Amino acid sequence: MASDIAIETVQAVRPSGVLRALTQRTKPVINIILKDEDKNAQALSYTTLDKIEGEVSITAPSDTSFDSIEISFTGYERTYVEKLSTAAPTSTKTFAYRPFLELKQPINAAASPEDQVVEAGHPYKLSFMFVIPEHLLPQACRHAVDNDHVCEAHLSLPPSLGDPLPPGDGKPLMDDLAPDMSTVSYAVKVRITRNRESDGKPVILADIAKKIRVIPAYDEHPPLNVQAGKDNDYSLRKEKDLKKGMFKGKLGRLTVEAMQPRSLRLHAPRSESSCRVTTMATLNLRFDPAEESAQAPRLGQLVTNLKAATFFASIPMREIPSDSAAFRFDSRRGLFVETVNLSSRNVGSVQWEKHTTTSYADRVNSVHSVSSAVSIPEPSCAYIGKTYYTSSIIVPVTLPENKSFVPTFHTCLISRIYLLDFSLSVHTPGTSVTAPIMHLKVPVQVSSERNANAQPLISAEEAQAIAAREADGYFSPRSFAPPSPEYTERAELVRPAPQITTIPSRRVRRNHPGILF
């Protein structure tokens, strides 16, 4: 598996035409046929541990000698960031290309053409079989990262993204909410080469690639640790003062809170399940009246949107991207956000529950606890310590069927995250004044299921044997003898020179001996 990232800067002023040779030697014809391509409409979609089986057919119009035939399964990601020039009507595009997966099929010598010559008109058939891996090899991510969590995410197999592929069942292409600037592609490739007599360099006689769609299995991760005031992209709690009317006093203060819901779990590509992908989110509300006689407000419209954010860069990313502002104003990185409307409904029938006292249990049972979705929010800054009202709204979140969603993932160049945008309007009682709409931005993960019929790469017995061998190795005796003379005779201890720092003479305040403040 290669992980080198190729970066190229192209100035897009006027595309130049490429003249091709008018006369070319006739090339062999290569066809790639997948095993279940005609039987299943979704045969071009695979998930983790699925087998990609098929056959390669090679036919030449004339006798053609060759030196090698390669059948491989590859995966790569490609991005570009466009920077507009203010001095001239031109733009500069910086491209980045990273191959992260390459599996090669051993060629059966018995099925290969004899004497390495493809005879004219004689079809040759070669079988292949690849298995979608669970993880990438460590060398797939060799750049510097901020922590091990980032490296682990970059070594996960990414899903196909931004590469239009026909679904195979006659339906139109579905949008996967990705921009043209980011692409993740997989393909089965066949290449026939012959070494040049002058310098032995391989020359491609014929090559072909058949793209497929890969949606790897992604497990649900723990909820994000959203810190108030630091994560500008998320907002799990909002407070707002409500007024009695125009030029009147305050009615009270409304608090709306939410926590990250369970993930939206996609079905396996060839799953027979017809259930919609759904999860449940809960909005917890609290109203602290300014006076004991004040009544809780009437809720209005609740609009739920799903935002898909695609981060892309022309340089390797050291961190898990979360700050959208850092990507919007960086010439080497970019951000594309697509909004999908999920639902809009009236929640005016939601009832409020009146409380006369508060207790310590109410405070600890806040929205920050992940043990329960329905909880009482913390008191607002306007709480006077007496009566307050609480309510909760259960919001079903269902993915539309006219879009193609991919799991939440992070690679060296591309990241895809999702968040739920809740907009709630409130009406004060007895007036026609509509309070400003309250917005919550809650993170949500999109995960994906595994194929129930997929066989693991190793059996349970083999996994137990490996675990036992590792456990035995932990208790095996070890030698702590001094190194042999061949490693110590020429050893030399180099003592670094002391570093001396000159501090300008100035008056300092000493609060503790040896510490400058």
Side-chain angles (χ1 to χ4, degrees):
M1 297 182 184
S3 64
D4 296 334
I5 300 177
I7 301 177
E8 178 185 3
T9 302
V10 178
Q11 187 174 7
V13 181
R14 186 176 299 166
S16 59
V18 179
L19 297 180
R20 299 180 179 273
L22 298 179
T23 58
Q24 293 183 352
R25 182 174 298 178
T26 306
K27 297 181 178 180
V29 178
I30 306 175
N31 289 324
I32 301 177
I33 303 174
L34 299 177
K35 181 179 179 180
D36 300 327
E37 187 172 2
D38 297 333
K39 298 180 181 180
N40 195 324
Q42 296 181 347
L44 294 178
S45 298
Y46 298 87
T47 186
T48 305
L49 298 181
D50 277 352
K51 293 182 180 180
I52 305 174
E53 299 180 87
E55 188 178 66
V56 175
S57 175
I58 302 175
T59 306
S62 60
D63 293 350
T64 305
S65 61
F66 66 94
D67 288 298
S68 67
I69 299 178
E70 295 182 0
I71 304 176
S72 61
F73 174 63
T74 62
Y76 68 89
E77 60 177 335
R78 176 180 293 164
T79 62
Y80 74 85
V81 180
E82 186 173 6
K83 181 180 180 181
L84 299 178
S85 176
T86 58
T90 61
S91 62
T92 301
K93 292 183 179 180
T94 302
F95 292 83
Y97 173 83
R98 171 183 172 252
F100 55 82
L101 177 66
E102 184 177 14
L103 305 178
K104 292 187 176 181
Q105 171 69 41
I107 302 299
N108 187 4
S112 181
E114 298 181 0
D115 301 328
Q116 294 184 330
V117 175
V118 179
E119 298 180 359
H122 186 276
Y124 296 90
K125 298 185 182 298
L126 302 174
S127 300
F128 64 86
M129 191 271 289
F130 301 101
V131 178
I132 305 294
E134 295 183 285
H135 301 282
L136 301 176
L137 294 180
Q139 57 263 32
C141 178
R142 297 185 294 186
H143 63 88
V145 294
D146 290 346
N147 50 63
D148 294 338
H149 174 66
V150 178
C151 184
E152 182 181 357
H154 289 184
L155 293 179
S156 298
L157 204 67
S160 299
L161 183 75
D163 194 6
L165 289 175
D169 53 1
K171 295 182 180 180
L173 293 176
M174 289 190 296
D175 183 16
D176 60 359
L177 310 177
D180 297 336
M181 292 77 76
S182 58
T183 303
V184 178
S185 297
Y186 294 87
V188 176
K189 295 183 178 181
V190 181
R191 175 180 296 179
I192 304 176
T193 61
R194 181 174 57 194
N195 296 334
R196 194 159 48 192
E197 296 180 359
S198 58
D199 55 2
K201 184 178 179 180
V203 178
I204 300 176
L205 298 179
D207 61 344
I208 190 175
K210 190 179 188 66
K211 293 184 178 181
I212 64 173
R213 180 181 286 108
V214 175
I215 305 296
Y218 273 80
D219 297 328
E220 182 177 5
H221 295 292
L224 293 179
N225 182 20
V226 179
Q227 300 180 3
K230 296 183 178 181
D231 295 304
N232 299 325
D233 291 339
Y234 304 113
S235 177
L236 303 184
R237 177 186 173 99
K238 279 293 182 67
E239 296 183 7
K240 193 68 178 180
D241 289 329
L242 303 182
K243 297 183 178 180
K244 298 179 181 179
M246 191 69 65
F247 306 110
K248 295 183 179 180
K250 293 182 179 179
L251 180 68
R253 192 170 182 86
L254 178 65
T255 302
V256 182
E257 288 183 344
M259 60 179 292
Q260 181 175 342
R262 297 293 301 269
S263 67
L264 291 159
R265 195 155 183 81
L266 303 176
H267 302 301
R270 283 177 281 182
S271 174
E272 298 180 357
S273 176
S274 59
C275 299
R276 301 281 296 274
V277 179
T278 306
T279 188
M280 292 291 179
T282 303
L283 301 184
N284 298 308
L285 294 84
R286 174 177 179 136
F287 176 68
D288 296 327
E291 302 174 354
E292 288 294 323
S293 59
Q295 298 296 320
R298 179 173 59 89
L299 304 180
Q301 201 77 8
L302 176 61
V303 179
T304 305
N305 293 324
L306 178 67
K307 292 188 176 182
T310 305
F311 296 85
F312 54 94
S314 60
I315 58 174
M317 291 188 282
R318 300 172 55 99
E319 74 287 344
I320 299 297
S322 60
D323 187 5
S324 61
F327 275 72
R328 294 184 186 275
F329 303 102
D330 193 336
S331 60
R332 301 171 300 176
R333 301 187 291 182
L335 171 63
F336 180 83
V337 180
E338 188 79 11
T339 302
V340 180
N341 181 265
L342 299 181
S343 63
S344 177
R345 59 180 181 139
N346 191 297
V347 292
S349 60
V350 174
Q351 301 296 321
W352 289 91
E353 181 181 356
K354 184 178 181 180
H355 303 265
T356 55
T357 58
T358 184
S359 63
Y360 176 76
D362 293 338
R363 292 179 179 269
V364 299
N365 185 24
S366 65
V367 74
H368 302 289
S369 174
V370 298
S371 59
S372 175
V374 179
S375 58
I376 298 178
E378 291 282 348
S380 66
C381 58
Y383 181 57
I384 59 178
K386 295 182 180 180
T387 302
Y388 66 96
Y389 298 84
T390 62
S391 183
S392 62
I393 304 175
I394 307 299
V395 185
V397 178
T398 304
L399 295 182
E401 295 182 336
N402 61 342
K403 301 290 183 180
S404 178
F405 293 91
V406 300
T408 303
F409 73 95
H410 306 280
T411 69
C412 299
L413 299 176
I414 305 173
S415 289
R416 164 63 68 86
I417 63 174
Y418 298 89
L419 63 88
L420 293 171
D421 187 353
F422 298 103
S423 301
L424 177 64
S425 62
V426 185
H427 302 275
T428 54
T431 65
S432 59
V433 177
T434 301
I437 298 177
M438 304 183 69
H439 289 274
L440 288 185
K441 297 179 181 181
V442 182
V444 63
Q445 181 192 357
V446 176
S447 59
S448 54
E449 297 177 348
R450 296 176 179 269
N451 187 353
N453 300 324
Q455 297 294 329
L457 297 179
I458 60 175
S459 62
E461 293 77 8
E462 292 174 334
Q464 293 178 359
I466 294 175
R469 184 167 62 251
E470 293 178 350
D472 294 340
Y474 180 80
F475 296 101
S476 62
R478 291 171 173 82
S479 175
F480 295 94
S484 58
E486 61 179 321
Y487 297 107
T488 58
E489 291 178 352
R490 291 176 294 179
E492 181 181 359
L493 179 62
V494 179
R495 298 182 179 276
Q499 298 181 359
I500 301 177
T501 304
T502 302
I503 303 178
S505 176
R506 60 186 178 90
R507 297 181 62 184
V508 295
R509 175 184 175 186
R510 297 181 181 270
N511 291 349
H512 190 277
I515 302 178
L516 302 180
F517 291 92

